[in-house]
Amino acid sequence: MAKLVFGMNQSLDGYVDHQEFAPGPALFRHWIEHVRGLSGSVYGRRMYEVMRYWDEERPEWSAEELEFAAAWRSQPKWVVSRSLKSVGPNATLVGDDLEAVIRGLKARLVGEIGVSGPDLARSLTDLGLIDEYRLYLHPVVLGRGKPFFAGARPPLRLVASDLIGEDVIRLTYVPA
């Protein structure tokens, strides 16, 4: 049975914004390995549209960016959206019955399934489907933006803390 994991970079004050801070080399390497090891990912529409950046190679990309793009393209993706009519390569559109689809994925796959997008994570949290939360805390205060937790925080229990690179701490929680 697969484990559903919601993890994102966030500011010290709890916001996620890919345009406000970028991962350093050590954290980017971590994300490459993380994505490479996933059994697949479930995306909300907005996060999927952001990540579509990796679908087409750009000549200015570094070797690490090419490596991340290859890992991202190779993994199966499920995109939860009622407004999209189609999705890109290696992706499946999920429009209805989110709970049944995710329960089916968890039962059918092994390893980890990544969850991307705070709004989607809220829906999956409300359904009791997220097995682990990983908060990658950056030493940045934004004061505004999209919060990591889009709804009420579920009761959580800390199971690990790790320093990644020089300044990012990953806190790993499970539902209490």
Side-chain angles (χ1 to χ4, degrees), residues 4 17 42 45 51 57 84 102 104 107 132 153 156:
L4 202 60
D17 189 333
V42 181
R45 179 192 55 81
M51 294 301 290
E57 288 184 16
L84 289 177
I102 300 304
E132 196 169 284
R153 289 179 179 93
L156 300 174

Side-chain angles (χ1 to χ4, degrees), residues 87-129:
V87 290
N90 212 11
T92 302
L93 187 59
V94 177
D96 293 318
D97 210 0
L98 174 64
E99 183 174 8
V101 170
I102 300 304
R103 286 191 188 284
L105 290 174
K106 287 179 73 168
R108 188 174 86 240
L109 300 174
V110 295
E112 291 185 357
I113 302 169
V115 174
S116 292
D119 293 325
L120 173 61
R122 177 184 184 172
S123 297
L124 295 172
T125 295
D126 290 347
L127 293 169
L129 294 173

Side-chain angles (χ1 to χ4, degrees), residues 30 88 108 111 113 117 154 160-162 167:
H30 168 83
R108 188 174 86 240
I113 302 169
S161 61
D162 308 287
D167 61 359

Side-chain angles (χ1 to χ4, degrees), residues 30-170:
H30 168 83
W31 284 116
I32 291 169
E33 298 305 323
H34 172 74
V35 169
R36 186 179 283 140
L38 290 173
S39 299
S41 289
V42 181
Y43 287 92
R45 179 192 55 81
R46 284 184 293 272
M47 187 56 66
Y48 177 69
E49 289 173 340
V50 167
M51 294 301 290
R52 291 289 313 265
Y53 170 81
W54 299 103
D55 271 341
E56 294 181 30
E57 288 184 16
R58 292 165 170 43
E60 70 275 9
W61 281 355
S62 67
E64 291 79 14
E65 288 169 316
L66 290 168
E67 193 176 355
F68 180 86
W72 189 80
R73 284 188 214 125
S74 70
Q75 73 169 217
K77 294 169 262 314
W78 294 270
V79 182
V80 179
S81 174
R82 289 186 187 93
S83 61
L84 289 177
K85 301 299 180 218
S86 65
V87 290
N90 212 11
T92 302
L93 187 59
V94 177
D96 293 318
D97 210 0
L98 174 64
E99 183 174 8
V101 170
I102 300 304
R103 286 191 188 284
L105 290 174
K106 287 179 73 168
R108 188 174 86 240
L109 300 174
V110 295
E112 291 185 357
I113 302 169
V115 174
S116 292
D119 293 325
L120 173 61
R122 177 184 184 172
S123 297
L124 295 172
T125 295
D126 290 347
L127 293 169
L129 294 173
I130 295 188
D131 300 297
E132 196 169 284
Y133 299 83
R134 295 181 187 155
L135 291 72
Y136 291 81
L137 293 176
H138 289 252
V140 175
V141 175
L142 297 178
R144 59 167 172 62
K146 185 76 164 173
F148 180 90
F149 289 102
R153 289 179 179 93
L156 300 174
R157 181 174 51 84
L158 180 68
V159 294
S161 61
D162 308 287
L163 180 63
I164 300 176
E166 294 180 12
D167 61 359
V168 174
I169 296 176
R170 177 182 60 190

